[in-house]
Amino acid sequence: MKRLFCIFLLAAASLAQANDVSCTGCTAAQFSSQALAAGYGQHRVYDLNAGIIRGYSVTCSNEVVNGGPQTQSIPGACPANGALVIEEVGIDNLTLQAFQAVRTFYVSNGYSLGNTVVDLRDESPSSGGGTVYEFLGSYPERQALYDWLRTGYSNNHILQQYSTAIAHSLLAALQILPSNAFIVEIIFQDGSKISVKLKAEDSTFEIVPDSARDPDGVAIPQSNQSQYQGQYNFASGHARDQFIRHLISLGIAVGRGTGNRVSCTWDPVNLTLRCVPG
């Protein structure tokens, strides 16, 4: 963890940023064409599936060499209608290391970059995995599950590989991975779910707002705010009762009633939701 944190600190001294272009299944000629289409500048074209990355320098045929390159007022345009010319250039070690780290993560994560799914019905932690309501309502349960994701989950190497790939990408200014926002969708033992974001710089998690769902897909409020007004329809009395207990834990006023529907309105005077079954 200390080494990873140091890599993030060093990222401030990273190389000048280049444009990175995906070209899956491309030939060498198509790689070159993609770089040329990106216009004036330094570009890297890659194929994650094949594990290939190439560098290109795109300049102007009439560019002034002595005294430096001319300013490009329009991206991809050359002064005095000069032609763009392309040259393949080498890839530095920082970029090669970053690309390999990204590809290792990409392959391990089932050829996906931005998200993964943890299904607790297949592999259950000792604590925090029963239902999304326990996860939302109990700080110790939530942290126990986060700890398990880091150290006990059989596929936690994917999360570690993501953090490593992000760190190397920052050093090389490699723009393949999405911004530091890897999403982990957690499916609990009862079928309820929530999404959390992994923050690679310190391997912590934060809840993705409004991502909680009960086992039947009903959205679950995460705070006592007016945006959660509306009617909630449940498949059973048990599902409704779980929902009501959660509302009460948020400080939401709940009236008496029957039926598997809960109607919530906003009280602008007392600044609270008021929900009634029925």
Side-chain angles (χ1 to χ4, degrees), residues 2-199:
K2 288 183 179 179
R3 179 177 179 272
L4 182 61
F5 183 69
C6 289
I7 290 175
F8 275 94
L9 291 179
L10 288 171
S14 64
L15 300 178
Q17 199 167 29
N19 291 319
D20 298 309
V21 182
S22 175
C23 196
T24 302
C26 290
T27 64
Q30 289 169 327
F31 265 62
S32 180
S33 295
Q34 286 287 335
L36 191 61
Y40 184 94
Q42 304 297 311
H43 310 300
R44 295 173 293 208
V45 183
Y46 64 90
D47 181 345
L48 269 181
N49 288 348
I52 299 170
I53 186 168
R54 292 178 175 145
Y56 298 91
S57 175
V58 179
T59 57
C60 293
S61 59
N62 59 349
E63 184 174 29
V64 175
V65 177
N66 296 326
Q70 295 190 8
T71 301
Q72 305 300 301
S73 59
I74 303 174
C78 291
N81 297 318
L84 287 171
V85 292
I86 186 168
E87 177 186 8
E88 185 168 353
V89 296
I91 297 290
D92 62 88
N93 286 333
L94 276 177
T95 298
L96 290 175
Q97 292 171 10
F99 182 73
Q100 186 55 53
V102 171
R103 188 169 191 272
T104 297
F105 158 72
Y106 174 70
V107 173
S108 296
N109 195 39
Y111 295 85
S112 176
L113 288 177
N115 62 282
T116 194
V117 176
V118 176
D119 194 334
L120 301 183
R121 296 170 297 185
D122 299 330
E123 182 179 1
S124 178
S126 59
S127 181
T131 174
V132 70
Y133 288 115
E134 295 173 356
F135 177 86
L136 289 171
S138 170
Y139 176 81
E141 293 283 334
R142 189 161 57 251
Q143 295 306 315
L145 183 55
Y146 289 158
D147 290 343
W148 178 81
L149 286 173
R150 295 187 196 96
T151 60
Y153 174 45
S154 63
N155 286 329
N156 63 31
H157 63 279
I158 292 175
L159 308 183
Q160 296 165 359
Q161 287 169 354
Y162 170 75
S163 295
T164 299
I166 280 286
H168 282 293
S169 294
L170 287 172
L171 282 175
L174 188 65
Q175 306 168 76
I176 296 178
L177 282 175
S179 60
N180 188 15
F182 186 59
I183 303 300
V184 181
E185 182 183 58
I186 303 171
I187 304 176
F188 295 87
Q189 293 166 14
D190 67 348
S192 58
K193 63 183 64 176
I194 199 167
S195 293
V196 297
K197 180 173 73 173
L198 171 62
K199 297 189 290 183

